[in-house]
Amino acid sequence: MSKYEPKKSTRTNRDNQEATATLTTKDRFTTWQQQTVYRHWRFAISAVCTAVAAGAVGLNLGIVNLWERQVQSLFFELRGPVATPDNIVILTIDEDSLSQGQYYSADPERYASLKPIESWPWQRQAYARVIEKLMDAGADAIAIDVVFASSSSYGEADDKALINVLERYGKHVVLAAEYPTRDRSQGEWFQPILPRIEFRDAGARVGVINFRLEPNRQIHRLGQEFLRELADTEADLLGTSATILDEDAPLKSLAQEAIAAAGKPDSAQAESYENVFFYGPSGTFKHIPFWHVLDDDPWRNQLQSGRAFKDKIVLIGTTAAFHQDFHKAPFSQSLLYPQSMAGVEVLANTIATLDQAVSPTRAIKDSRLNALLVLALGLGIAGLMNRSDKPLNRSIIAVGGLGLWGIISYAAFVGSRTILITGTPIAAIATLGLLDFGVGFTADRLKRKRLKTTLARYATSPLIQEIISQQDDFQELLNINRTDIIGTLLRDRYRILKVLGAGGFGETYLAQDTLRPGNPVCVVKQLKIVSDNPKAHHLAQRLFEAEAAVLEKLGEHPQIPRLLAYFDVQQSFYLVQEMVEGKLLRNVLSRSRPMSQRAVVGMLRDLLPVISFVHSKGVIHRDIKPSNIIRRAADKRYVLIDFGAVKTISNKLADTNTQITSTVGIGTQGYMPSEQSAGMPTVRSDIYALGITAIEALTGRPPHALKRSDNGEIIWSHTIRDISPELSKIINTMVRYDFNKRYSSPQKVLDDLVELNSEILADNPATGPDFQAVEEATYNQGTRPGVIATNEELGSTQILPDNWPNELETREEPSSTIDDDPSPNSKPNL
């Protein structure tokens, strides 16, 4: 043979060379391209989304401004109200002031000072008298948010009274002007409504009270920004550079004029201010009713003869609902602050913004630079997301990036009144995350659909059925196969009515015994052999017969379902057991409603003899829990079901030198003690499980909700009102973490329970109201068929892991069988 080996090697090398030769540069490029697309296609989608957001910012689209203003409003409201400057006061025309005229009407002599405000509109003498009193009291400036565009309805003398006062104090008084919008054939045209020329000639200042509304219909920018945009509009329409008044003096905002009227130096920096700094919601600035200045009593007593206005900028305007002068702004008509903000309060915020030089300023004013910032942020987040294939990690990166930029922007806004572009980056990052999640979810669903199609082809395979049984969204594949067995007649006797439960290695059915009178219902449990190895089938058959023998002995007890038959059909083994009509204890406790102490003691006294009987037959149940306990409807006795996890107690340890081989850890978490989890169950493991069941019945809490001490002991009795100390001690001994400290047998637990005086135990649940047990009959007679196996060294039955048939090639078939008559001198495997 050796002389042919070189030829074989040469032929192999030639084949490899030919295979390699077929990989052209084009093929390699195509492979690289496919791999790149597979790895980075989600990044490409994110990059496109980011580019769209950056483009919107670069073009300064309205939706971008909308998002940014909404975020700024949110930042103001999250920050909350802050202290206002103490040199700004609102003299409010409120409902209280508007109602004072009725007192003058009732008693003109007594309330003569209120005559100017007898009815709305008020006489201009009222404003004249207030201006005079405030200026004499030392006020720095007075701004009136009322437009005096026409003659007074009270006559020329009324206007003359105001003119006289303005001639004395006009340089410290600001009167309002406004720009209403009027439709003209040439488009939108702005013409100011100004105070009467007589008032202006008397020396009064004029300030515009208009504001530019943002895309979110809120006020954010100062009044001077409205005038700048107005000047640009008029320059386009009329060829002028500004709105011109007499003597070519450009109009300014009321806030600018109020600052000037107060004698504040005109700061060049103020011209660069753009946004209003809002101090808080309605009522943040100090409000004083207008009539308090006119009436001598509140003027002297509440306003200290005007000292409350010394060195103050006084803003006069309405806050009455009657005048409907309310506007949308931060802290106004929002989810957090639904109350409306009056126009005079918006003006107070603008005056304070200029006076305190606290206008929020954009960090980057060039929209193109903002677009680059959005692009960098979006691509950075997308790049980090692309480094991980796990959906959870990608979502965490997206949410983390969104939250981090939001925190940075908020900190800059609140800490230094710096406005970073925020709304668009957050929207872009959120869109990235949602798109990534949606695309990933869709891709996952497509993968699962392909997997489902593949599994459907081999759904009859036991191994594939085990995989399917562990996936909730593949259960219909099992249901398709289960429908085939409904109506099947096993052994020409047992007709399948319903599938109660299924796994890859077995199923449980509800069936009719057609050969017995009345066709009584029974439970059929099937065990499948997942191997084509004849040796595996032979071993399983021997163990199946041994397990049936154990169940036959256990069925002698009236509170354990009887074994009616066992047989094998087409490589599957079947157990037929008695059907128990009743209510599962799990269904009784499913509503987290506890049982009374007396009822729990009755349950323990009923079940302990059953468990003692099981142990006397050399068997450990290993899966005692509420879903394996039925209260039989016929006699209200408790029945123990589902012995799929039984383990015959070894009685073949002839001497103390024999090594103890642990079994597989079968059971249910929470009800299974530590030694059973380690594969070393004892009779005390069943006592532990019954104790846990009693605690759940008393507290209404499942095992996973129970607290444990540092040494592993369960802490539960403090949750029960008037718990019997004796009962608490018994149950605590049943569930000790160290199995050596538990009761050594069910009989010893029963002995202590017998000594309890049941009459003094509470007959009502210690916590919660009485519960209503589930009324329908229970057909869940143990839905886990289990896999029967053996421990070769001990020769006892047990449950093997799922891959037990694959290990048969390396394992020897045990030579021993179950000892049905154990020697009294042998030692149990405890």
Side-chain angles (χ1 to χ4, degrees), residues 15 25 37 172 174 183 220 339 438 477 653 657 676 689 694 712 741 770 814:
D15 293 341
T25 303
V37 171
H172 296 290
V174 184
D183 293 330
H220 276 273
Q339 186 176 357
L477 297 181
L653 296 181
N657 294 326
Q676 185 175 334
K741 296 180 181 179
D770 295 336

Side-chain angles (χ1 to χ4, degrees), residues 6-20:
K7 294 182 178 179
K8 181 179 180 181
S9 175
T10 301
R11 183 171 63 252
T12 302
N13 292 337
R14 185 171 62 251
D15 293 341
N16 290 339
Q17 290 173 0
E18 291 174 356
T20 305

Side-chain angles (χ1 to χ4, degrees), residues 218-232:
Q218 290 185 347
I219 294 174
H220 276 273
R221 285 183 283 180
L222 292 163
Q224 61 206 57
E225 286 296 303
F226 169 84
L227 294 174
R228 288 194 187 110
E229 292 190 9
L230 179 63
D232 294 339

Side-chain angles (χ1 to χ4, degrees), residues 691-760:
I692 293 293
T693 301
I695 292 176
E696 182 175 358
L698 284 169
T699 62
R701 300 179 181 179
H704 63 80
L706 299 175
K707 295 183 179 180
R708 291 181 178 269
S709 64
D710 294 337
N711 57 2
E713 304 297 345
I714 297 175
I715 304 173
W716 64 277
S717 58
H718 67 285
T719 64
I720 309 298
R721 295 195 304 269
D722 303 324
I723 181 70
S724 167
E726 293 80 8
L727 177 59
S728 176
K729 180 180 179 181
I730 292 172
I731 296 178
N732 282 333
T733 307
M734 294 175 70
V735 298
R736 292 298 296 271
Y737 183 80
D738 184 352
F739 68 91
N740 292 307
K741 296 180 181 179
R742 294 183 212 138
Y743 287 103
S744 59
S745 68
Q747 185 58 46
K748 291 189 176 181
V749 185
L750 191 59
D751 292 341
D752 285 351
L753 285 174
V754 170
E755 295 181 4
L756 273 177
N757 184 1
S758 300
E759 299 300 325
I760 65 173

Side-chain angles (χ1 to χ4, degrees), residues 96-371:
D96 189 25
S97 299
L98 291 172
S99 65
Q100 293 302 311
Q102 62 184 341
Y103 295 102
Y104 170 78
S105 299
D107 192 347
E109 184 176 350
R110 182 179 178 182
Y111 298 104
S113 60
L114 300 179
K115 180 181 179 181
I117 59 173
E118 180 181 7
S119 61
W120 185 264
W122 289 341
Q123 297 180 25
R124 288 172 184 170
Q125 293 184 40
Y127 301 101
R129 190 175 303 175
V130 166
I131 291 172
E132 186 174 26
K133 295 184 74 172
L134 293 179
M135 295 306 302
D136 290 344
D140 282 346
I142 301 171
I144 303 177
D145 183 22
V146 178
V147 180
F148 300 125
S150 59
S151 301
S152 172
S153 60
Y154 295 96
E156 187 65 26
D158 190 39
D159 282 333
K160 186 62 177 177
L162 180 57
I163 292 172
N164 292 337
V165 172
L166 293 177
E167 288 175 348
R168 294 170 54 195
Y169 305 107
K171 66 177 182 177
H172 296 290
V173 178
V174 184
L175 300 181
E178 66 176 344
Y179 278 87
T181 301
R182 296 176 182 175
D183 293 330
R184 294 292 179 94
S185 59
Q186 296 178 338
E188 195 175 39
W189 182 273
F190 292 95
Q191 181 66 33
I193 298 178
L194 303 173
R196 289 188 64 188
I197 185 65
E198 292 85 357
F199 299 150
R200 285 179 276 151
D201 291 342
R205 296 175 178 269
V206 177
V208 178
I209 59 175
N210 294 82
F211 293 91
R212 193 71 172 178
L213 294 182
E214 305 301 328
N216 63 348
R217 311 305 299 171
Q218 290 185 347
I219 294 174
H220 276 273
R221 285 183 283 180
L222 292 163
Q224 61 206 57
E225 286 296 303
F226 169 84
L227 294 174
R228 288 194 187 110
E229 292 190 9
L230 179 63
D232 294 339
T233 301
E234 291 195 350
D236 292 337
L237 293 176
L238 305 177
T240 58
S241 59
T243 301
I244 304 299
L245 211 64
D246 292 343
E247 300 178 358
D248 294 336
L251 280 174
K252 293 185 178 181
S253 69
L254 186 138
Q256 289 175 296
E257 291 292 351
I259 296 297
K264 305 279 185 177
D266 187 14
S267 173
Q269 185 181 3
E271 289 298 322
S272 65
Y273 291 163
E274 177 183 356
N275 299 293
V276 182
F277 181 86
F278 286 90
Y279 285 82
S282 175
T284 301
F285 284 86
K286 184 177 181 180
H287 286 203
I288 297 175
F290 187 93
W291 73 275
H292 282 192
V293 178
L294 291 176
D295 192 288
D296 291 339
D297 183 46
W299 173 260
R300 288 192 304 268
N301 298 323
Q302 299 182 36
L303 302 179
Q304 298 85 42
S305 298
R307 284 192 295 272
F309 298 101
K310 183 175 178 56
D311 301 327
K312 300 289 194 299
I313 298 176
V314 183
L315 185 59
I316 301 175
T318 180
T319 60
F322 168 74
H323 294 133
Q324 292 296 305
D325 184 24
F326 298 98
H327 306 273
K328 293 191 66 175
F331 297 106
S332 174
Q333 301 180 32
S334 66
L335 183 63
L336 297 178
Y337 294 89
Q339 186 176 357
S340 298
M341 182 179 292
V344 68
E345 293 177 303
V346 175
L347 290 170
N349 280 281
T350 61
I351 293 172
T353 299
L354 295 179
D355 182 48
Q356 301 296 315
V358 290
S359 174
T361 304
R362 288 180 294 169
I364 303 175
K365 296 185 179 181
D366 190 330
S367 59
R368 292 169 296 181
L369 293 179
N370 278 321

Side-chain angles (χ1 to χ4, degrees), residues 330-533:
F331 297 106
S332 174
Q333 301 180 32
S334 66
L335 183 63
L336 297 178
Y337 294 89
Q339 186 176 357
S340 298
M341 182 179 292
V344 68
E345 293 177 303
V346 175
L347 290 170
N349 280 281
T350 61
I351 293 172
T353 299
L354 295 179
D355 182 48
Q356 301 296 315
V358 290
S359 174
T361 304
R362 288 180 294 169
I364 303 175
K365 296 185 179 181
D366 190 330
S367 59
R368 292 169 296 181
L369 293 179
N370 278 321
L372 291 177
L373 177 61
V374 172
L375 188 64
L377 285 173
L379 292 180
I381 297 297
L384 290 175
M385 293 171 62
N386 195 54
R387 295 172 64 89
S388 175
D389 291 330
K390 296 182 178 180
L392 178 60
N393 291 346
R394 298 172 70 89
S395 299
I396 290 175
I397 292 172
V399 173
L402 186 151
L404 180 61
W405 187 246
I407 291 173
I408 292 174
S409 300
Y410 176 75
F413 186 82
V414 174
S416 61
R417 298 180 300 281
T418 299
I419 301 175
L420 299 175
I421 186 167
T422 308
T424 306
I426 286 179
I429 296 172
T431 304
L432 293 184
L434 291 175
L435 278 177
D436 184 82
F437 174 80
V439 171
F441 178 80
T442 303
D444 181 70
R445 298 305 299 177
L446 291 176
K447 288 181 180 178
R448 294 186 71 83
K449 185 177 181 180
R450 290 194 296 267
L451 175 61
K452 185 176 181 180
T453 302
T454 303
L455 292 176
R457 298 176 184 174
Y458 308 99
T460 57
S461 168
L463 186 58
I464 297 300
Q465 288 188 14
E466 178 65 17
I467 297 174
I468 293 173
S469 67
Q470 298 174 10
Q471 303 292 328
D472 291 340
D473 50 350
F474 291 164
Q475 292 302 304
E476 64 270 19
L477 297 181
L478 286 179
N479 295 332
I480 293 174
N481 289 277
R482 291 173 186 172
T483 56
D484 297 336
I485 199 171
I486 302 299
T488 300
L489 196 64
L490 296 175
R491 265 295 180 83
D492 296 327
R493 177 171 182 172
Y494 301 103
R495 188 180 306 280
I496 305 301
L497 301 177
K498 181 180 181 181
V499 179
L500 297 178
F505 299 98
E507 294 181 340
T508 305
Y509 311 115
L510 187 69
Q512 279 183 325
D513 188 344
T514 61
L515 296 185
R516 291 178 61 191
N519 296 334
V521 176
C522 57
V523 175
V524 177
K525 295 186 180 182
Q526 177 204 47
L527 170 66
K528 298 177 182 178
I529 304 303
V530 192
S531 176
D532 295 329
N533 190 339

Side-chain angles (χ1 to χ4, degrees), residues 55-110:
V57 173
L59 296 174
N60 200 26
L61 297 182
I63 191 172
V64 173
N65 294 325
L66 171 65
W67 288 340
E68 296 306 317
R69 292 305 184 182
Q70 286 291 90
V71 169
Q72 290 168 28
S73 295
L74 179 62
F75 282 175
F76 272 124
E77 294 175 3
L78 291 178
R79 181 211 66 192
V82 295
T84 59
D86 57 4
N87 67 326
I88 297 176
V89 176
I90 296 177
L91 193 63
T92 173
I93 302 173
D94 57 1
E95 280 84 356
D96 189 25
S97 299
L98 291 172
S99 65
Q100 293 302 311
Q102 62 184 341
Y103 295 102
Y104 170 78
S105 299
D107 192 347
E109 184 176 350
R110 182 179 178 182

